[in-house]
Amino acid sequence: MQFILGSGSPRRLELLAQIGVVPDAVRAPDIDETPHKAELPRPYCARMAREKVAAVPAAADDIVLCADTTVAIGRRILGKPEDAAEAEAFLRLMSGRRHKVVTAVAVKRGEKLWQRDVQSTVKMKSLSDIEIRRYLATGDWRGKAGGYGIQGPAGALIPWISGSFTAIVGLPLAEAANLLQAAGYPFDGGAA
């Protein structure tokens, strides 16, 4: 049995290490992440996690974990910005408002699938033009849902959250540990 992390996210690798889980292999799936017409954020996120875990090549006894993090304002999904202009538009949209961050986790072993999703609420402070420019200049928005990562420089822009900090970063650890345990991952007497 091997444990395969189906993600290219260094943050997910770091989060798993916090609970003593080190993958035997890392295989980022290549799937189309385009939302379906009128697809709501939570079902979209769950579908992405399922499609990712299904796309990772694995032996029948291997355990594969994939996750997807989606940032949303109302029904609108804010994906990974294409460029600084789109990242700025996302920041202006979230400025002074609450938004949702959904992270879905899927674990597969053979034909069995376990899945959970966690929804958190994040409040971004009202941002000045200078704060937006300063944040965009860090480049931290690249490759991140909604154009920010709470664990980086954007943490200074977020005065309040309700939910799971690790889910907002990209992997809800309590839920991930429970799913891995259900799939038979051999935790060594500890963290999970």
Side-chain angles (χ1 to χ4, degrees), residues 2-191:
Q2 282 198 313
F3 169 57
I4 301 163
L5 173 60
S7 173
S9 165
R11 295 166 296 283
R12 290 191 179 115
L13 207 52
E14 291 165 8
L15 287 166
L16 284 170
Q18 289 180 21
I19 59 170
V21 175
V22 179
D24 298 299
V26 176
R27 298 181 191 147
D30 183 21
I31 65 165
D32 178 4
E33 296 189 36
T34 307
H36 293 156
K37 186 173 172 61
E39 190 171 25
L40 295 175
R42 201 167 187 164
Y44 162 78
C45 190
R47 178 175 66 83
M48 287 296 96
R50 280 192 310 276
E51 288 185 11
K52 286 177 180 181
V53 83
V56 174
D61 202 37
D62 291 346
I63 297 173
V64 180
L65 180 145
C66 290
D68 186 76
T69 300
T70 299
V71 173
I73 290 200
R75 300 166 66 93
R76 182 174 174 191
I77 295 168
L78 305 182
K80 296 173 185 167
E82 294 290 321
D83 53 29
E86 188 173 32
E88 179 178 352
F90 288 173
L91 291 170
R92 291 192 184 282
L93 190 60
M94 292 182 284
S95 177
R97 296 174 65 187
R98 293 180 184 190
H99 60 274
K100 300 288 184 197
V101 177
V102 181
T103 298
V105 182
V107 173
K108 152 182 105 163
R109 185 171 192 180
E111 296 300 310
K112 290 197 77 173
L113 178 74
W114 297 264
Q115 187 169 0
R116 285 285 311 274
D117 65 71
V118 174
Q119 182 170 277
S120 302
T121 304
V122 177
K123 176 153 184 355
M124 191 168 281
K125 68 182 237 170
S126 293
L127 303 175
S128 69
D129 290 344
I130 291 170
E131 287 170 316
I132 291 171
R133 280 197 306 274
R134 190 179 306 136
Y135 177 70
L136 292 172
T138 69
D140 190 60
W141 54 269
R142 286 184 177 87
K144 294 187 174 86
Y148 78 92
I150 193 171
Q151 72 283 4
L157 310 177
I158 297 168
W160 180 89
I161 71 164
S162 176
S164 166
F165 179 79
T166 60
I168 296 166
V169 173
L171 187 67
L173 285 181
E175 291 77 6
N178 286 340
L179 294 176
L180 288 170
Q181 207 163 20
Y185 182 83
F187 281 100
D188 301 334

